[in-house]
């Protein structure tokens, strides 16, 4: 298998649970290939060393079964491709010595295959960020991604990308997105299940925010085996969150985002930016009345989510400098994993 073939499997959603690699030295491979012969009359395969025929007449009819002239090139090509394959499937590859008796090799392979598959949920960080919009969830997610290579997954961004891609699911979601209404939970779960089950998320871990927002959604997430093993509640007051959201601005042409207090849009006479101020406005759905309504809806379900996740929740005071907030978050991630909690 080449690197391109491995990536193609992932694109089509095919992720092997285990890969068995039979390792042997170049000399062993050469002797095995060069020793392969076949009865030109019956087409029965033999090997000069490991499985020679007992009948002299059959032996006289043997011809090479494989062209061994390019064996060195084939070995080199395999070694080259295997480096990339090994990096793609580091955690699921099992190496077995291929130069041992077939019965021993078979027994070892069966032994490995009969073991239960590794459950990434037990070891890989599955971090859920709860909190108001404006509480700093994206900042924390990006910091965790930068520091620990976790995969940040924002539910809203995921939905918008699916709509833009015009997939079957995205087309169905577009009706609700265009109407500024909530996408049905079943569609969101299907989308999240596909994304969080991809190889990068299962091997590196993920940071999810923007979903769930209700107890029912949390239960649905658990039912599809996507229960988080770490839950962070970024705690900030309603008024403080509203103040943060109300100073956010976006350039409708470039998509650049600004904060009127911390990172205001550039002012003239900066070259080529004379018109930026006129293009900057509130992000869609972030009018002052909409901000208040959004925060009120979130507050209505926050306590039930905290109750549902129970001991998995770390309450973080998010009304501080982002560096201070991350200092509270980081130990919770790197310390020993909490015991699994069965969904309620």
């Amino acid at each position: 298998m080449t690197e391109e073939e491995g990536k193609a499997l992932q694109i089509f959603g095919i992720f092997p649970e285990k890969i068995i690699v039979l390792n042997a030295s170049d000399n062993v491979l050469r002797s095995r290939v060069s020793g392969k012969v076949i009865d030109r009359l019956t087409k029965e395969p033999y090997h000069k060393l490991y499985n020679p025929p007992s009948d002299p007449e059959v032996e006289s009819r043997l011809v090479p079964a494989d062209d061994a002239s390019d064996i060195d090139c084939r070995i080199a090509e395999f070694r080259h491709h295997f480096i990339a394959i090994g990096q793609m499937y580091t955690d699921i590859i099992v190496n077995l010595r291929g130069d041992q008796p077939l019965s021993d090799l078979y027994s070892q392979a069966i032994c490995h295959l009969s073991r239960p598959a590794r459950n990434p949920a037990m070891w890989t960080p599955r971090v859920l960020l709860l909190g108001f919009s404006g509480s700093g969830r994206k900042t924390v997610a990006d910091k965790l991604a930068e520091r620990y290579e976790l995969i940040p997954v924002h539910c809203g961004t995921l939905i918008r990308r699916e709509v833009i891609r015009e997939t079957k699911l995205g087309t169905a979601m577009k009706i609700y997105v265009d109407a500024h209404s909530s996408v049905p939970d079943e569609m969101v779960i299907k989308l999240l299940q596909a994304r969080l089950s991809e190889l990068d998320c299962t091997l590196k871990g993920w940071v999810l925010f923007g979903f769930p927002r209700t107890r029912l959604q949390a239960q649905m997430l658990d039912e599809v085996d996507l229960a988080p093993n770490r839950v962070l509640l970024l705690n900030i007051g309603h008024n403080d969150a509203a103040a943060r959201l109300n100073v956010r601005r976006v350039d409708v042409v470039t998509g650049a985002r600004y904060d009127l207090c911390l990172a205001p849009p550039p002012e003239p006479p900066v070259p080529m930016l004379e018109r930026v101020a006129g293009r900057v406005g509130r992000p869609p759905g972030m009018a002052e009345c909409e901000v208040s309504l959004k925060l009120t809806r979130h507050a209505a379900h926050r306590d039930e989510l905290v109750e549902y996740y129970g001991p998995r929740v770390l309450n973080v005071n998010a009304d501080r400098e982002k560096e201070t907030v991350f200092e509270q978050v980081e130990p919770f991630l790197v310390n020993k994993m909490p015991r699994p909690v069965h969904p309620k």
Side-chain angles (χ1 to χ4, degrees):
M1 181 168 66
T2 65
E3 181 180 8
E4 290 73 19
E5 291 169 342
K7 290 180 178 178
L9 289 176
Q10 294 180 14
I11 290 172
F12 285 98
I14 301 173
F15 302 103
E17 292 183 355
K18 295 179 181 179
I19 295 178
I20 294 180
V21 178
L22 307 182
N23 279 320
S25 68
D26 291 0
N27 288 335
V28 170
L29 294 175
R30 290 190 193 97
S31 66
R32 288 186 174 181
V33 172
S34 61
K36 290 181 179 180
V37 289
I38 190 171
D39 186 331
R40 64 173 178 267
L41 181 62
T42 65
K43 306 303 180 184
E44 187 73 19
Y46 296 95
H47 195 282
K48 292 179 181 179
L49 181 61
Y50 302 110
N51 181 33
S54 56
D55 188 343
E57 183 179 350
V58 173
E59 187 174 2
S60 66
R61 297 198 303 262
L62 297 180
V63 294
D66 199 357
D67 182 7
S69 61
D70 64 342
I71 182 61
D72 287 338
C73 293
R74 287 154 59 187
I75 291 174
E77 183 180 11
F78 168 78
R79 304 287 189 207
H80 170 73
H81 288 304
F82 183 71
I83 293 174
I85 295 299
Q87 293 173 345
M88 291 174 64
Y89 298 106
T90 304
D91 292 349
I92 58 175
I93 282 183
V94 175
N95 287 286
L96 300 181
R97 280 181 50 206
D99 58 350
Q100 56 184 318
L102 183 60
S103 58
D104 293 346
L105 189 60
Y106 180 75
S107 297
Q108 292 178 29
I110 291 298
C111 179
H112 283 291
L113 291 175
S114 61
R115 292 175 183 172
R118 173 183 178 271
N119 182 2
M122 295 177 62
W123 312 102
T124 308
R126 293 175 160 199
V127 183
L128 173 63
L129 300 180
L130 301 177
F132 285 136
S133 295
S135 61
R137 295 172 302 172
K138 185 179 185 304
T139 301
V140 171
D142 289 344
K143 193 71 174 177
L144 290 174
E146 176 187 352
R147 183 73 62 88
Y148 298 103
E149 297 186 346
L150 305 186
I151 307 301
V153 180
H154 179 216
C155 185
T157 301
L158 209 59
I159 291 173
R160 288 190 290 273
R161 286 178 181 172
E162 195 73 7
V163 171
I164 292 172
R165 289 171 57 197
E166 297 183 344
T167 63
K168 184 177 180 180
L169 182 59
T171 302
M173 288 179 165
K174 188 175 187 299
I175 300 172
Y176 300 93
V177 173
D178 290 346
H180 301 288
S181 60
S182 299
V183 176
D185 292 344
E186 293 76 12
M187 292 185 181
V188 178
I189 287 292
K190 186 175 181 180
L191 182 63
L192 286 174
Q193 190 174 15
R195 179 65 187 97
L196 299 181
S197 299
E198 291 183 14
L199 193 62
D200 59 346
C201 286
T202 58
L203 293 183
K204 294 183 177 181
W206 44 259
V207 187
L208 173 64
F209 59 106
F211 191 94
R213 294 181 176 178
T214 67
R215 184 188 183 96
L216 177 60
Q217 291 174 347
Q219 291 172 336
M220 294 175 70
L221 203 61
D222 286 356
E223 287 169 1
V224 294
D225 197 27
L226 292 174
N229 47 38
R230 293 172 172 88
V231 182
L232 298 169
L233 173 62
L234 302 182
N235 217 337
I236 186 174
H238 185 289
N239 292 336
D240 293 325
R244 291 185 181 185
L245 294 175
N246 283 326
V247 295
R248 289 183 178 179
R249 296 294 185 268
V250 63
D251 186 324
V252 296
V253 175
T254 65
R257 294 183 175 272
Y258 303 102
D259 184 298
L260 295 182
C261 297
L262 302 177
E267 296 289 343
V270 178
M272 304 300 293
L273 293 175
E274 290 81 359
R275 299 183 181 179
V276 168
R279 300 197 310 250
V280 172
R282 286 177 174 269
M286 284 294 176
E288 194 165 344
C289 59
E290 293 175 301
V291 166
S292 179
L293 180 61
K294 178 182 293 190
L295 295 176
T296 301
R297 284 202 304 263
H298 285 195
H301 299 285
R302 183 178 59 180
D303 291 343
E304 67 182 35
L305 279 173
V306 172
E307 180 187 1
Y308 179 78
Y309 286 117
R312 282 178 283 181
V313 178
L314 173 68
N315 199 321
V316 177
N317 181 1
D319 191 19
R320 301 181 180 183
E321 295 292 331
K322 58 184 179 181
E323 292 80 9
T324 305
V325 172
F326 192 72
E327 286 177 1
Q328 299 177 71
V329 169
E330 193 170 25
F332 187 61
L333 180 72
V334 300
N335 287 344
K336 186 178 179 180
M337 191 82 70
R339 289 181 177 273
V341 177
H342 296 291
K344 298 179 181 179

